[in-house]
Amino acid sequence: MSEADRVLIKGNEAVAFGAVDAGCRCYFGYPITPQNEVPELLSSLIPENGGAFVQAESEVGAINMLLGAGACGVAAMTSSSSCGISLMQEGISYMAGSHIPGVIINMSRGGPGLGDIGPSQGDYFQAVKGGGHGDHRNLVLAPSSAQECYDFMFRAFALAFAWQNPVMILGDAIVAQIKEPVRRVPPAGTHKPEAMSDLARAWRIEGFGGRGQNAVPRLLKSVYLVEGALADRNRLLLQKYTDMRREALFDSEYTDDAELVVVAFGSIARIARSAVRRLRAEGRKVGLFRPVSLYPFPEEALRSRARGRRFLVIEQNTGQMLEDVRLALNGVSSVLWHGVMPGLFIGASELIDPILQAVKEKS
Amino acid sequence: MSQTDKRLRPRNDEKLVFDANPVLNERVTHYCPGCHHGIAHRLVSEVLHDLGVADKTILVASVGCAAFTYDYLNVDSVEAPHGRACAVATGVRRARPDAVVFTYQGDGDMAAIGIGESLHAANRGEKITAVFINNTVYGMTGGQMAPTTLLGQKTTTSKQGRSLSNEGGPIRLAEIMAQLQGVTYSARCALDSVKHVREAKKAVRVAFDAQIAGLGFSFVELLSGCPTNWHLDPVAANKRIANDMIPVFPLGVFKDVADESVEGKNV
């Protein structure tokens, strides 16, 4: 791979290129900062690739267009940020309940409410605990670089079709706006876009004539009124969410001999890694564990590193992933927490003291 | 379906003049006695059958009494959240350019919670057909006020009768739709009499024709009875449509881009 194969683009632009290269053929969305480069770029890329781009009248409209296109077994996506994602929750719940795939980008911003347009990880609970009404889960991936914004789009569409489920890319204002070199090459081992429509053949709506003689009509729905039917549906969903655990992804660095392991995701994980490396250079026994999939949470991998170590969760919110880390470690190790408030732009130097403080608290 | 075909097959000396419609199945509906959903279903299914497009049709079902339309029509279907059928249909249409796509929505669904999605899909000229059932009341939830409830009409949430000062007036969706550039056809019909039902079938046919011709968004409003929530028997409910509803919701074609004679006629 030569330097010439790399392009200097924003995380948002990497999402757009990744989407079309991964086979996305429909985009529906409504403008909101800090993710506007996604629809702006896709407004030309998608039609150039024979697909449909629609600027919806609202986020509510966008997510329901995604539901419709996903029901047809077509690779489709939307993108938004925090308050826009809140508006989409109704549709996301229906998609989950109806087994309809789709990819949703949340380049989140400071909240609650209108908040600001700065970085935040305040949508963690909403993303990984369901977010919409009823019992449902989204598969959630958290990129921390522009390259990952590109690469994760392939994984996102593959997961959406493999599990017939909404998949969310949870980024933030930093990863959305950061500009860095990106290799626009499909990551090794990723599916071909055609594989998605093959998977969808078994369930998509298309007009029953498309399935040949004696085909019977299909119905994609989430309503189950007959006594016991909804219970069965939820058992099926529970089984799916349990099986999804094998999709858990993580990164770790220096955890083998670390006394303190920093747990962080997304942009903050990248900043924390700089801090951890700096402290390692000074001989401090600190490491980093970075959940890449936030749902499923890589709890087994984290647990396997638990004995003899303490953990410091660093996240840009008031304490959300902290709960999942505590659940995963289940009292085996002590878990400390350092919160960076939403809307702040921090550097690695601002994490040095909190990490050193956590190291000190040992004695 | 095949059993029906067998049963209805004419003998040698008989000429077949009427046949079962394979797009409408034989299930007994869950609708109340005197409800017009059954007629509306039949009109839509007959048009799909006449056009020979049922096998490439996708129904976007809505919420309310008509949520279970897919139980009766033999077409591929997807369920939309409350009010969002036209947005879901937009996604279906964009993903499947060759399908015939339609929504079937009540007045609460399309004119209240979903009026935004409905008007914008119409304005974009999405090549879909919307069948709009207007019975001036929320049926499934037990007779609450709808955007189409008549002034003075008593409902469970307008017990003194709807008033202009407190609840506003009934929304005339067919007229609103006709003003949008993306709309190719907008008509209002009624299901209270044989004559009106025949006119309604023509309107439904023209609406689907317009979609298949790729002209844009087509819309048919059907004034329908809700004897249960109106607290009337079915015959009296039909009279209410004629006497009370039609004066407020005039019948006619409000827009038909394929027919120049309609321009300005009823608008």
Side-chain angles (χ1 to χ4, degrees):
Chain A
M1 181 82 43
S2 74
E3 288 298 309
D5 293 319
R6 304 201 297 170
V7 285
L8 185 67
I9 52 175
K10 286 184 176 185
N12 280 337
E13 294 167 311
V15 162
F17 285 122
V20 288
D21 292 352
C24 178
R25 289 298 172 264
C26 287
Y27 175 92
F28 313 99
Y30 186 79
I32 181 173
T33 307
Q35 61 78 55
N36 289 319
E37 290 85 359
V38 178
E40 284 171 353
L41 189 50
L42 285 174
S43 69
S44 52
L45 286 179
I46 292 251
E48 282 164 16
N49 283 277
F53 174 95
V54 181
Q55 180 168 325
E57 62 275 13
S58 67
E59 289 88 348
V60 176
I63 193 70
N64 285 289
M65 292 173 195
L66 179 62
L67 186 159
C72 294
V74 168
M77 68 179 281
T78 186
S79 61
S80 190
S81 179
S82 298
C83 26
I85 297 289
S86 291
L87 285 172
M88 293 183 179
Q89 291 304 330
E90 175 194 50
I92 295 173
S93 170
Y94 274 75
M95 289 173 72
S98 308
H99 290 309
I100 293 173
V103 173
I104 300 144
I105 313 294
N106 180 3
M107 292 302 188
S108 58
R109 51 189 268 175
L114 196 51
D116 68 10
I117 57 169
S120 165
Q121 297 182 326
D123 297 354
Y124 179 92
F125 277 156
Q126 187 192 53
V128 308
K129 306 295 183 188
H133 58 283
D135 268 310
H136 77 95
R137 293 287 189 275
N138 315 309
L139 288 143
V140 184
L141 301 174
S144 65
S145 67
Q147 183 67 55
E148 286 185 345
C149 284
Y150 179 83
D151 293 346
F152 284 11
M153 292 309 295
F154 291 83
R155 185 166 182 82
F157 280 104
L159 286 172
F161 276 79
W163 295 97
Q164 273 178 259
N165 205 71
V167 174
M168 182 174 284
I169 300 278
L170 184 64
D172 63 26
I174 295 176
V175 81
Q177 293 297 328
I178 198 167
K179 202 164 194 176
E180 40 187 1
V182 171
R183 288 180 305 277
R184 193 182 164 183
V185 177
T190 50
H191 67 287
K192 293 253 187 306
E194 308 84 65
M196 290 185 285
S197 54
D198 285 345
L199 281 173
R201 240 179 265 280
W203 53 263
R204 70 186 177 201
I205 53 166
E206 58 201 329
F208 59 85
R211 300 189 290 275
Q213 293 279 320
N214 303 323
V216 291
R218 282 178 183 161
L219 166 64
L220 295 177
K221 64 165 185 172
S222 63
V223 63
Y224 292 90
L225 295 181
V226 176
E227 171 98 30
L230 183 64
D232 288 344
R233 186 67 165 183
N234 272 297
R235 277 186 204 105
L236 191 70
L237 288 171
L238 176 61
Q239 187 61 52
K240 177 159 107 170
Y241 302 141
T242 305
D243 293 344
M244 275 179 189
R245 283 184 189 161
R246 65 172 182 259
E247 305 287 3
L249 276 183
F250 67 96
D251 264 353
S252 67
E253 203 166 300
Y254 307 123
T255 54
D256 289 350
D257 65 339
E259 291 166 6
L260 179 84
V261 174
V262 172
V263 186
F265 73 96
S267 301
I268 291 293
R270 198 163 166 190
I271 298 165
R273 189 171 58 197
S274 298
V276 164
R277 284 179 180 172
R278 210 181 291 177
L279 289 167
R280 269 280 161 176
E282 293 171 12
R284 303 278 186 174
K285 290 202 164 178
V286 293
L288 177 78
F289 184 90
R290 173 199 164 209
V292 171
S293 63
L294 302 182
Y295 191 91
F297 192 76
E299 51 191 10
E300 282 172 35
L302 190 61
R303 206 157 34 232
S304 72
R305 288 161 174 76
R307 204 158 294 280
R309 302 196 173 86
R310 289 174 316 117
F311 292 82
L312 171 66
V313 176
I314 302 180
E315 53 187 333
Q316 192 160 22
N317 56 42
T318 57
Q320 298 189 25
M321 184 174 70
L322 170 66
E323 294 187 7
D324 282 337
V325 172
R326 283 193 171 140
L327 279 171
L329 298 177
N330 199 21
V332 171
S333 306
S334 65
V335 180
L336 303 165
W337 176 76
H338 176 71
V340 178
M341 288 307 104
L344 295 175
F345 289 84
I346 62 151
S349 53
E350 281 150 278
L351 297 181
I352 297 286
D353 279 349
I355 296 173
L356 284 177
Q357 185 67 34
V359 170
K360 252 191 262 168
E361 275 183 33
K362 178 192 174 187
S363 48
Chain B
M1 268 183 290
S2 58
Q3 277 183 341
T4 307
D5 291 346
K6 213 173 284 173
R7 196 162 67 235
L8 294 181
R9 190 170 296 150
R11 294 192 301 270
N12 288 338
D13 57 339
E14 290 175 329
K15 184 185 170 197
L16 183 69
V17 293
F18 188 83
D19 201 355
N21 166 15
V23 184
L24 188 68
N25 62 41
E26 293 181 19
R27 223 168 281 181
V28 174
T29 73
H30 70 289
Y31 300 116
C32 304
C35 170
H36 285 160
H37 272 305
I39 297 176
H41 284 10
R42 179 159 164 179
L43 297 185
V44 171
S45 63
E46 284 181 355
V47 165
L48 293 176
H49 183 49
D50 293 348
L51 291 169
V53 295
D55 68 345
K56 57 182 228 174
T57 294
I58 296 172
L59 158 67
V60 179
S62 61
V63 166
C65 291
F68 305 107
T69 302
Y70 47 67
D71 281 341
Y72 311 117
L73 300 188
N74 292 324
V75 294
D76 272 11
S77 311
V78 59
E79 167 203 80
H82 194 189
R84 321 301 180 204
C86 283
V88 172
T90 297
V92 170
R93 157 58 63 221
R94 299 300 182 116
R96 295 234 162 264
D98 298 329
V100 173
V101 183
F102 77 103
T103 70
Y104 187 99
Q105 303 174 258
D107 42 38
D109 196 74
M110 194 168 200
I113 189 170
I115 196 166
E117 288 78 12
S118 303
L119 295 186
H120 283 281
N123 193 50
R124 282 192 302 269
E126 298 295 342
K127 295 174 186 62
I128 60 179
T129 300
V131 178
F132 174 59
I133 306 298
N134 176 1
N135 61 13
T136 75
V137 76
Y138 281 36
M140 184 177 264
T141 44
Q144 296 85 3
M145 188 187 72
T148 47
T149 295
L150 302 181
L151 287 174
Q153 183 181 339
K154 290 179 180 170
T155 72
T156 61
T157 51
S158 58
K159 293 195 177 66
Q160 307 305 314
R162 183 180 191 166
S163 72
L164 192 58
S165 61
N166 202 47
E167 289 96 7
I171 288 179
R172 297 178 177 94
L173 210 47
E175 287 87 335
I176 294 172
M177 286 289 182
Q179 295 176 42
L180 301 173
Q181 282 190 317
V183 173
T184 181
Y185 181 74
S186 178
R188 181 184 291 118
C189 305
L191 301 177
D192 62 319
S193 67
V194 173
K195 175 172 176 283
H196 284 159
V197 168
R198 285 195 174 138
E199 287 168 0
K201 183 172 175 184
K202 271 184 213 154
V204 172
R205 170 69 189 250
V206 174
F208 275 97
D209 278 342
Q211 178 195 160
I212 292 164
L215 297 176
F217 186 93
S218 54
F219 175 85
V220 182
E221 177 171 342
L222 300 174
L223 302 184
S224 307
C226 183
T228 299
N229 285 304
W230 292 355
H231 308 296
L232 296 174
D233 65 58
V235 174
N238 279 348
K239 284 184 182 150
R240 178 180 183 263
I241 293 175
N243 298 334
D244 299 347
M245 282 176 73
I246 292 176
V248 178
F249 296 108
L251 306 185
V253 178
F254 296 89
K255 186 176 191 182
D256 185 353
V257 296
D259 181 359
E260 286 173 9
S261 68
V262 170
E263 191 77 26
K265 199 164 75 178
N266 285 312
V267 179

